[in-house]
């Protein structure tokens, strides 16, 4: 990376207000993020149920994603400081992915969908309000309450099965959600071009993770079948490791982190239904109720408030 002191993103500068076209592109990117997040959950659960392990999935994500986005980082242009770049890479790359994979290895796909993606509006809204210099319009409180109720139903489902491992997995998924929420808020504050932000996360995560992985014994990537390896390489590396970071950051640039996060609770509905035929995971009644309530909460929170949409959202 070039000398960041000469390319530092301006601090305190207000992100430009989105035009109608920007908002349309932002909504399209947010919807695409929902599909990518769903594939991330399903593919991760599928991979971890086979011979692949957490380090193997992470190596595919960071190695392929970093390689694909490296040219974008090398082309020049405005960059973040080393401090901001490191924070973005940790929150949106290493921290988020490793916590999520660890959670997926312990909790079913329905829990991964709700606790990882369904809680994004709650964490993001809280972070936006905590870091905002002035009060900004936000999602409707009723919708956030419903999302919280859905999370409580999922927690009840975990308690009902009395699995300490699953409870630990749920906790890891919540930490991953908090990490991704913090990434969205910070990406908006740093206000880098979405492609540059995505490349920063992917490349720095790759540089930090691949050397330790090279020394990791018993790599399953060396023995896994070609069909499974290709599936995970496409989903984890190209779609999640590269594309998902870009499209989510692009949506945040146009809509703001809190509004973009409101699309995430659509992931539980898609993932839970798809997990039935793909993973043979049949959720309990409480889990299905949690999915339904979280989805309703997302729809309610996404509706514009009486004061209009938040144009000045941080």
């Amino acid at each position: 990376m070039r000398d960041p002191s000469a390319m530092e993103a301006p601090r305190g500068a207000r992100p430009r207000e989105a035009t109608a076209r920007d908002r349309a592109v932002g909504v399209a990117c947010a919807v695409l993020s929902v599909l990518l997040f769903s594939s991330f959950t399903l593919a991760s659960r599928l991979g971890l149920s086979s011979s692949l392990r957490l380090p193997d999935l992470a190596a595919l994500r960071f190695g392929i994603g970093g390689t694909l986005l490296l040219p974008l980082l090398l082309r020049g242009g405005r960059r973040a400081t080393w401090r901001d770049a490191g924070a973005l890479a940790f929150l949106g790359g290493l921290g988020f992915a490793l916590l999520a994979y660890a959670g997926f290895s312990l909790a079913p796909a329905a829990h991964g969908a709700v606790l990882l993606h369904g809680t994004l509006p709650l964490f993001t809204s809280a972070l936006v309000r905590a870091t905002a210099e002035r009060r900004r319009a936000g999602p409707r409180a009723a919708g956030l309450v419903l999302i919280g109720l859905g999370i409580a139903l999922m927690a009840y489902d975990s308690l009902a099965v009395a699995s300490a491992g699953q409870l630990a997995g749920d906790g890891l998924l919540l930490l991953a959600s908090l990490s991704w929420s913090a990434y969205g808020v910070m990406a908006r504050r740093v206000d880098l071009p979405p492609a540059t932000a995505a490349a920063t996360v992917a490349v720095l995560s790759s540089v930090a993770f691949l050397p330790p992985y090279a020394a990791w014994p018993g790599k399953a990537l060396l023995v896994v079948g070609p069909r499974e390896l290709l599936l995970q390489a496409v989903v984890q590396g190209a779609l999640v490791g590269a594309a998902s970071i870009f499209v989510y950051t692009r949506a945040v640039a146009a809509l703001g982190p809190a509004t973009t996060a409101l699309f995430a609770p659509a992931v539980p509905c898609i993932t839970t239904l798809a997990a039935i035929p793909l993973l043979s995971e049949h959720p309990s009644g409480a889990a299905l109720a949690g999915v339904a309530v979280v989805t309703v909460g997302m729809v309610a929170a996404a509706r514009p408030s009486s004061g209009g949409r938040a144009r000045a959202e941080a």
Side-chain angles (χ1 to χ4, degrees):
M1 297 179 70
R2 295 182 183 178
D3 180 7
S5 61
M7 296 183 178
E8 180 177 351
R11 291 185 179 277
R14 291 184 57 79
R16 61 182 177 83
E17 183 175 325
T19 64
R21 180 179 179 279
D22 286 335
R23 291 192 63 84
V25 172
V27 169
C29 286
V31 172
L32 181 56
S33 294
V34 169
L35 300 178
L36 292 173
F37 286 159
S38 297
S39 67
F40 170 53
T41 302
L42 293 168
S44 297
R45 282 288 297 165
L46 186 63
L48 291 169
S49 65
S50 66
S51 59
L52 294 175
R53 296 295 178 262
L54 185 158
D56 304 309
L57 296 182
L60 289 173
R61 177 189 179 109
F62 299 137
I64 296 175
T67 300
L68 291 176
L69 295 180
L70 179 60
L72 297 178
L73 197 63
L74 296 177
R75 70 181 182 181
R78 184 164 56 86
R79 312 241 183 103
T81 64
W82 283 108
R83 179 179 179 180
D84 285 345
L88 287 171
F90 174 76
L91 295 172
L94 285 171
F96 166 73
L98 296 181
L99 287 168
Y101 288 138
F104 289 147
S105 68
L106 298 172
H111 285 224
V114 171
L115 296 177
L116 177 57
H117 305 296
T119 57
L120 285 176
L122 298 175
F123 286 132
T124 304
S125 180
L127 289 173
V128 166
R129 290 179 178 274
T131 58
E133 295 180 0
R134 64 184 180 87
R135 187 175 184 83
R136 292 172 170 84
R140 290 190 172 184
L144 294 178
V145 169
L146 286 173
I147 293 172
L149 178 59
I151 303 306
L153 286 170
M154 295 301 297
Y156 169 79
D157 183 55
S158 288
L159 292 171
V161 298
S163 169
Q166 186 167 301
L167 286 173
D170 289 349
L172 291 169
L173 292 169
L174 289 174
L175 289 175
S177 178
L178 178 60
S179 182
W180 188 256
S181 297
Y183 166 74
V185 173
M186 186 172 184
R188 176 73 166 189
R189 180 183 67 80
V190 175
D191 195 27
L192 287 174
T196 303
T200 298
V201 170
V203 173
L204 292 187
S205 296
S206 176
V207 170
F209 184 81
L210 290 184
Y213 179 74
W216 189 275
K219 301 177 186 63
L221 291 180
L222 302 178
V223 297
V224 71
R227 182 176 179 180
E228 183 177 356
L229 181 61
L230 178 61
L231 171 65
Q232 295 297 334
V234 171
V235 175
Q236 303 292 346
L239 297 182
V240 178
S244 70
I245 305 174
F246 169 75
V247 297
Y248 191 85
T249 307
R250 180 65 181 86
V252 167
L255 306 176
T259 301
T260 303
L262 291 177
F263 287 82
V267 176
C269 182
I270 298 173
T271 304
T272 302
L273 295 178
I276 297 175
L278 294 178
L279 302 176
S280 299
E281 292 183 2
H282 298 276
S284 66
L288 287 174
V291 169
V293 173
V294 165
T295 304
V296 171
M298 177 201 70
V299 174
R303 294 177 59 189
S305 61
S306 58
R309 290 188 179 275
R311 292 189 296 269
E313 180 186 321

